[in-house]
PDB file of all heavy atoms in Angstrom:
ATOM      1  N   VAL A 105     -55.480  33.876 -77.724  1.00  0.00           N
ATOM      2  CA  VAL A 105     -55.293  35.129 -78.454  1.00  0.00           C
ATOM      3  C   VAL A 105     -54.030  35.855 -78.012  1.00  0.00           C
ATOM      4  O   VAL A 105     -53.645  35.827 -76.847  1.00  0.00           O
ATOM      5  CB  VAL A 105     -56.542  36.025 -78.236  1.00  0.00           C
ATOM      6  CG1 VAL A 105     -56.740  36.344 -76.761  1.00  0.00           C
ATOM      7  CG2 VAL A 105     -56.483  37.293 -79.065  1.00  0.00           C
ATOM      8  N   GLU A 275     -37.780  29.558 -31.199  1.00  0.00           N
ATOM      9  CA  GLU A 275     -37.028  28.520 -30.496  1.00  0.00           C
ATOM     10  C   GLU A 275     -35.566  28.629 -30.887  1.00  0.00           C
ATOM     11  O   GLU A 275     -35.229  29.299 -31.867  1.00  0.00           O
ATOM     12  CB  GLU A 275     -37.558  27.127 -30.885  1.00  0.00           C
ATOM     13  CG  GLU A 275     -38.965  26.863 -30.379  1.00  0.00           C
ATOM     14  CD  GLU A 275     -39.558  25.584 -30.979  1.00  0.00           C
ATOM     15  OE1 GLU A 275     -38.785  24.793 -31.549  1.00  0.00           O
ATOM     16  OE2 GLU A 275     -40.786  25.419 -30.875  1.00  0.00           O
ATOM     17  N   MET A 336     -58.464  48.450 -59.709  1.00  0.00           N
ATOM     18  CA  MET A 336     -57.416  47.490 -59.377  1.00  0.00           C
ATOM     19  C   MET A 336     -57.358  46.392 -60.440  1.00  0.00           C
ATOM     20  O   MET A 336     -56.282  45.971 -60.832  1.00  0.00           O
ATOM     21  CB  MET A 336     -57.701  46.866 -58.019  1.00  0.00           C
ATOM     22  CG  MET A 336     -56.555  46.037 -57.527  1.00  0.00           C
ATOM     23  SD  MET A 336     -56.454  46.082 -55.750  1.00  0.00           S
ATOM     24  CE  MET A 336     -55.116  44.937 -55.479  1.00  0.00           C
TER      25      MET A 336
END
Side-chain angles (χ1 to χ4, degrees):
Chain A
V105 60
E275 292 170 14
M336 189 148 176

